[in-house]
Amino acid sequence: MRVVLGVSGGIAAYKAIEVCRQLVDAGVFVSPVLTDDALRFVGKTTFDALGSEPARCSLFDDPTTPIPHTLLGQNADLIVVAPATAKLLGKYASGISDDLLTATLLATRAPVLLCPAMHTEMWEHPAVRQNVETLRERGVHLLDPESGRLAGGDIGAGRLADVDRIVARVLAMLDENSIARDLNGFKILVTAGGTREPIDTVRVVTNRSSGKQGHAIAEAAASRGAAVTLVTTTTRPTDAKIQVIRVDTASQMQEAVLGVAANQDAIVMAAAIADFRPVAPPERKIKKSEGLTSIPLEPTHDFLVELGERKAAGQVLVGFAAETNDVIANAERKLKGKRLDFIVVNDVSESDAGFEVDTNRVTILSADGTQEILPLMSKTAVADKILDRIATTLSVRGVQPSA
Ligand code: CTP
């Protein structure tokens, strides 16, 4: 993890030395960047010694590259500026890049954390307030100053946030980012929704699955960087990054899934696929006058079994089980019988979990015999729990991203 530590010119610059040391101790690669004014308070040599590489102070003094700001900005996982003076906030908010630090801030797409420090009058000045709001609106993170003793003995708001808080916030942001990208380049196939099996050309046999859980998994996987294919029976809107294949019946879903399964790094079968379908539905509407007292059914093919048999090396296969009784015993049987890596079980007899609602209460059973009983949570949170398992398994198996 690479962090640019920007230091601008305020009395609190001496605390940046400790921020630098603690981040390096935590295993972060720290590139210090000091403004000319910062050098009036602290020495470059200190940051040369404590940072992961020599400190930089100018756009023009780097013999190795004429574009230090773009290299620093593009390579950074995060930029933290501590202390951030009123001048730094003003220049950044206005897009002025007249030194290495402000140029780096404009040349990055990495998250930015600003830790302002200044006198109370300056912090409360409408110009500074406006700059802070502008930066917040643009997605810049701010760790507000604390109240306390300021330079010259004054007391008030404006003191740089505590060093431990700055370091903790930086590490937490790096952590969120690494989770956000942990499926980068992996191909993940997700199925969602209940299939619809025709009785005739207007009537169907279906089930109560809404597709919400499957869609939540697809969305979360895409936002964690995976190349997602979603085979779904629903018309729910999805993120443009997701490749959607719309199907209706179990056999259409089977064809779509088996067609792309072989080169997927993980497959999550969240769809509620019909176990039975009407035999030979007519290609017309059955008239009321004909009478219909029974609908002969035939079993569909359980293609999750087939996916288990054909599983590619390293591929992670996740099934779902909707149960109303003997929940865990039934799920364990499916986990083994279908050769799954994980099975996500929900008791669909509960009203706040399972079909149609936005929450779910699931247990994840693993092929290695472990059980994770999760409390009631949003379907998005359940999605992330399942994806955490997939990401860890892919990493343990040494699977490289294929997309
Ligand atoms: N599944 C499948 N093809 C089917 C039926 C189910 O691929 N024709 C998949 C589902 O997507 C799910 C898993 O199998 O991931 C378990 O589905 P479920 O209906 O709970 O289990 P069944 O094996 O059908 O067993 P039962 O109906 O006896 O509960």
Side-chain angles (χ1 to χ4, degrees):
M1 285 290 168
R2 300 180 79 98
V3 167
V4 171
L5 170 61
V7 185
S8 59
I11 186 66
Y14 76 93
K15 295 184 183 168
I17 296 169
E18 188 60 18
V19 172
C20 182
R21 198 187 60 78
Q22 287 195 23
L23 286 176
V24 170
D25 283 353
V28 176
F29 188 96
V30 180
S31 309
V33 173
L34 281 73
T35 64
D36 284 346
D37 288 347
L39 292 170
R40 292 174 179 270
F41 295 91
V42 285
K44 177 180 181 307
T45 317
T46 314
F47 286 88
D48 287 345
L50 292 176
S52 308
E53 59 180 357
R56 294 182 178 86
C57 305
S58 158
L59 268 165
F60 308 107
D61 66 2
D62 192 334
T64 60
T65 173
I67 46 164
H69 57 303
T70 47
L71 290 181
L72 282 167
Q74 286 165 0
N75 292 337
D77 293 298
L78 187 139
I79 298 182
V80 52
V81 183
T85 58
K87 178 163 114 180
L88 183 284
L89 297 177
K91 287 201 292 183
Y92 187 23
S94 315
I96 294 170
S97 56
D98 64 349
D99 60 12
L100 180 59
L101 180 53
T102 46
T104 305
L105 285 168
L106 295 193
T108 194
R109 295 207 166 96
V112 172
L113 174 65
L114 302 179
C115 308
M118 62 199 75
H119 247 71
T120 311
E121 293 83 346
M122 296 171 82
W123 178 240
E124 290 176 354
H125 193 283
V128 175
R129 305 304 330 135
Q130 198 173 350
N131 289 333
V132 165
E133 278 327 300
T134 303
L135 291 166
R136 270 196 222 279
E137 279 164 20
R138 290 182 192 152
V140 172
H141 300 257
L142 277 113
L143 191 53
D144 282 350
E146 296 169 0
S147 283
R149 210 163 73 89
L150 304 169
D154 292 344
I155 308 249
R159 198 164 73 153
L160 182 72
D162 193 69
V163 168
D164 290 347
R165 280 183 62 213
I166 297 174
V167 171
R169 182 72 174 272
V170 169
L171 296 178
M173 285 176 69
L174 288 173
D175 220 35
E176 279 167 28
N177 277 355
S178 69
I179 285 172
R181 289 198 307 264
D182 64 353
L183 292 172
N184 226 357
F186 285 110
K187 286 188 178 171
I188 299 197
L189 172 66
V190 183
T191 64
T195 60
R196 280 190 289 270
E197 310 300 327
I199 298 169
D200 61 15
T201 50
V202 297
R203 302 179 181 93
V204 293
V205 176
T206 188
N207 59 61
R208 290 177 53 211
S209 168
S210 60
K212 281 182 180 172
Q213 184 62 77
H215 276 249
I217 295 165
E219 297 284 344
S223 73
R224 286 166 75 154
V228 180
T229 305
L230 174 65
V231 182
T232 179
T233 61
T234 83
T235 52
R236 284 174 182 286
T238 53
D239 188 304
K241 292 197 290 279
I242 298 174
Q243 193 205 337
V244 178
I245 305 177
R246 272 266 312 134
V247 295
D248 257 332
T249 65
S251 66
Q252 287 169 357
M253 187 170 276
Q254 175 179 330
E255 198 185 325
V257 168
L258 295 183
V260 295
N263 64 353
Q264 301 294 323
D265 298 306
I267 302 177
V268 185
M269 292 283 287
I273 302 161
D275 290 324
F276 304 99
R277 65 171 157 245
V279 178
E283 280 298 313
R284 61 179 179 81
K285 182 185 172 196
I286 300 170
K287 299 300 286 177
K288 186 163 54 182
S289 55
E290 292 175 59
L292 186 65
T293 51
S294 65
I295 303 170
L297 299 172
E298 62 185 7
T300 57
H301 175 55
D302 188 335
F303 58 92
L304 184 51
V305 174
E306 207 170 324
L307 290 173
E309 284 162 4
R310 300 179 178 192
K311 199 158 44 167
Q315 189 179 66
V316 183
L317 189 56
V318 182
F320 268 68
E323 305 290 347
T324 53
N325 53 285
D326 300 327
V327 176
I328 298 298
N330 279 331
E332 273 174 349
R333 191 175 40 75
K334 288 177 194 175
L335 176 72
K336 288 197 181 71
K338 300 189 184 194
R339 300 185 203 188
L340 308 176
D341 295 291
F342 302 104
I343 192 155
V344 184
V345 205
N346 49 358
D347 182 341
V348 287
S349 58
E350 296 175 64
S351 61
D352 55 0
F355 296 133
E356 285 156 3
V357 291
D358 289 325
T359 48
N360 217 349
R361 185 186 290 111
V362 304
T363 298
I364 303 177
L365 307 185
S366 311
D368 67 11
T370 56
Q371 268 189 31
E372 189 179 9
I373 302 167
L374 296 172
L376 186 71
M377 56 177 74
S378 70
K379 286 186 173 173
T380 303
V382 170
D384 274 320
K385 291 283 185 187
I386 297 166
L387 294 169
D388 289 347
R389 294 266 170 168
I390 292 175
T392 308
T393 309
L394 288 170
S395 142
V396 167
R397 289 180 185 168
V399 179
Q400 293 303 313
S402 58

